[in-house]
């Protein structure tokens, strides 16, 4: 089979497309014939050796995919030909992927492979942040930074579905227009506007929750835009800089700052993770939420897809079609 391989840490352009052996499933595993895979910002960090943990080279990047079951191990509950989506830390950018059966779900009727692949990581991240960490309620003002990115636009979609009031902050009119179309009540161009002042003006005094997958220079003004007792959820640092927050800002308004990492959330909060996943998959199956796919690439164009995400050009999800 063909697979994209990272042979040394570096930029996307160093990746190579190679012929590698087909995977073979053991008990509790299955092989999926990949039809679509989605790109996430952590994929860029992994191939550059800059993620929180390092994967020894060589490896095939990619963490979420959709396709058909090609082969099964013992006792995994799936059969060849089943339409499934799934996640793994690496391995998705290939014609076949080996997955644990517990990380695989059936694709609901009427959902195509691209939407199924694009749904997993970002929507789980955003929903855990909103539901379990931020405890967002109907009518709450929720500020989403990087609102047109993968996690950001998922947070916009889900907060709207939860009947919260969404203020979307992004870096261009094009990105903000997509956020408005997806239901954001208010928008802020944080490259041109005073983010803190606009948050306080548009929310009538301060937001209750900030969802921040961006970091950098946007975090502090967004935190300053929270109302008393607000919650700031940090999810990542796509801006390339980890911000240093002055604790007096937290003290003065009784703000809570919480971190949420999708890789360990289910281990740290098993009950909440199970509840959130059930609710999230029901919304997906019912058609209440669907990922916005802003760009598509072929398997041979995987490096270009990763570069597109690394350069913060993506709106919504970027999908690799594997044919």
């Amino acid at each position: 089979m063909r697979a994209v391989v990272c042979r040394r840490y570096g930029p996307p352009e160093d990746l190579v497309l190679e012929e590698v052996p087909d995977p073979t499933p053991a008990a509790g595993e299955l092989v999926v014939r990949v039809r679509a895979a989605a790109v996430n910002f952590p994929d860029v960090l992994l191939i550059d050796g800059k993620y929180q943990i390092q994967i020894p080279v060589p490896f095939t990047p990619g963490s979420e995919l959709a396709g058909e079951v090609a082969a099964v191990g013992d006792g995994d509950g799936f059969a060849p030909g089943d339409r499934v989506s799934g996640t793994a830390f690496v391995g998705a950018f290939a014609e076949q992927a080996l997955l644990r059966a517990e990380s695989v779900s059936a694709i609901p009727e009427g959902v195509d492979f691209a939407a199924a692949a694009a749904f997993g990581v970002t929507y789980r991240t955003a929903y855990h942040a909103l539901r379990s960490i931020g405890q967002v309620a109907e009518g709450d003002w929720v500020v989403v930074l990087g609102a047109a990115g993968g996690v950001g636009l998922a947070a916009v979609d889900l907060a709207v579905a939860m009947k919260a009031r969404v203020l979307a902050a992004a870096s261009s009119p094009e990105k903000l227009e997509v956020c408005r179309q997806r239901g954001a009540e208010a928008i802020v161009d944080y490259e041109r506007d005073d983010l803190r002042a606009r948050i306080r003006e548009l929310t009538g005094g301060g937001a209750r929750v900030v969802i921040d997958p961006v970091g950098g220079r946007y975090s502090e003004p967004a935190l300053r835009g929270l109302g008393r007792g607000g919650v700031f959820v940090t999810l990542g640092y796509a801006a390339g800089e980890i911000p240093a927050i002055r604790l007096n800002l937290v003290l003065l308004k009784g703000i809570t700052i919480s971190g949420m990492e999708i890789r360990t959330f289910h281990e740290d909060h098993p009950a909440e993770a199970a509840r959130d996943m059930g609710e999230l998959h029901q919304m997906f199956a019912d058609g209440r939420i669907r990922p916005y796919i802003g760009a598509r690439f072929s398997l041979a164009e995987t490096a270009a897809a990763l570069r597109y995400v690394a350069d913060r050009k993506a709106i919504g999800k970027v999908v690799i079609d594997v044919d």
Side-chain angles (χ1 to χ4, degrees), residues 11-300:
E13 291 75 17
D14 288 350
L15 296 173
V16 292
L17 183 62
E18 296 183 351
E19 287 287 337
V20 301
D22 292 349
T24 302
E29 296 179 333
L30 50 83
V31 174
V32 176
R33 166 68 173 93
V34 182
R35 299 295 185 182
V39 180
N40 295 289
F41 187 73
D43 299 328
V44 177
L45 300 178
L46 274 170
I47 65 172
D48 205 17
K50 294 180 179 178
Y51 194 62
Q52 290 96 322
I53 61 174
Q54 286 194 342
I55 301 297
V57 294
F59 67 91
T60 292
S63 60
E64 58 184 338
L65 58 90
E68 299 132 344
V69 174
V72 298
D74 294 330
D76 57 34
F78 292 93
D82 287 349
R83 297 173 72 250
V84 297
S85 61
T87 59
F89 202 53
V90 293
F93 300 157
E95 291 180 329
Q96 296 183 53
L98 183 67
L99 300 175
R100 296 291 304 172
E102 63 199 27
S103 69
V104 172
S105 301
I107 298 175
E109 288 294 327
V111 176
D112 64 22
F113 289 123
F119 171 71
V121 173
T122 54
Y123 278 81
R124 289 206 319 272
T125 300
Y127 197 59
H128 292 325
L130 292 163
R131 177 75 162 94
S132 292
I133 306 300
Q135 298 183 14
V136 169
E138 182 176 347
D140 283 345
W141 270 108
V142 176
V143 174
V144 182
L145 303 185
V151 172
L153 203 53
V156 170
D157 289 348
L158 289 166
V160 170
M162 297 166 75
K163 299 183 179 180
R165 305 177 73 182
V166 177
L167 187 158
S171 61
S172 73
E174 179 188 11
K175 292 178 177 180
L176 290 168
E177 179 56 30
V178 172
C179 295
R180 191 192 296 278
Q181 291 172 6
R182 303 291 282 193
E185 184 174 336
I187 56 175
V188 175
D189 185 333
Y190 51 37
E191 294 288 356
R192 296 167 177 81
D193 297 331
D194 182 327
L195 181 59
R196 172 188 175 274
R198 290 294 285 156
I199 290 173
R200 296 186 65 80
E201 175 188 349
L202 292 166
T203 63
R208 205 193 73 76
V209 175
V210 169
I211 302 296
D212 181 12
V214 179
R217 61 189 176 92
Y218 310 111
S219 297
E220 183 174 315
L223 184 142
R224 287 175 175 270
L226 282 168
R228 293 196 62 80
V231 180
F232 185 97
V233 187
T234 177
L235 298 175
Y237 310 103
E241 177 188 346
I242 300 174
I245 299 296
R246 290 180 289 177
L247 291 180
N248 67 306
L249 302 176
V250 178
L251 180 151
L252 290 173
K253 291 195 289 187
I255 290 167
T256 298
I257 299 178
S258 294
M260 203 291 293
E261 186 189 23
I262 189 63
R263 185 173 59 88
T264 56
F265 183 80
H266 69 285
E267 299 170 0
D268 297 337
H269 307 280
E272 291 89 345
R275 177 202 62 197
D276 292 355
M277 287 298 292
E279 294 173 355
L280 185 60
H281 279 285
Q282 191 61 56
M283 285 191 281
F284 189 49
D286 291 347
R288 283 180 283 165
I289 51 174
R290 282 289 183 273
Y292 179 90
I293 298 172
R296 301 175 79 148
F297 295 81
S298 70
L299 185 63

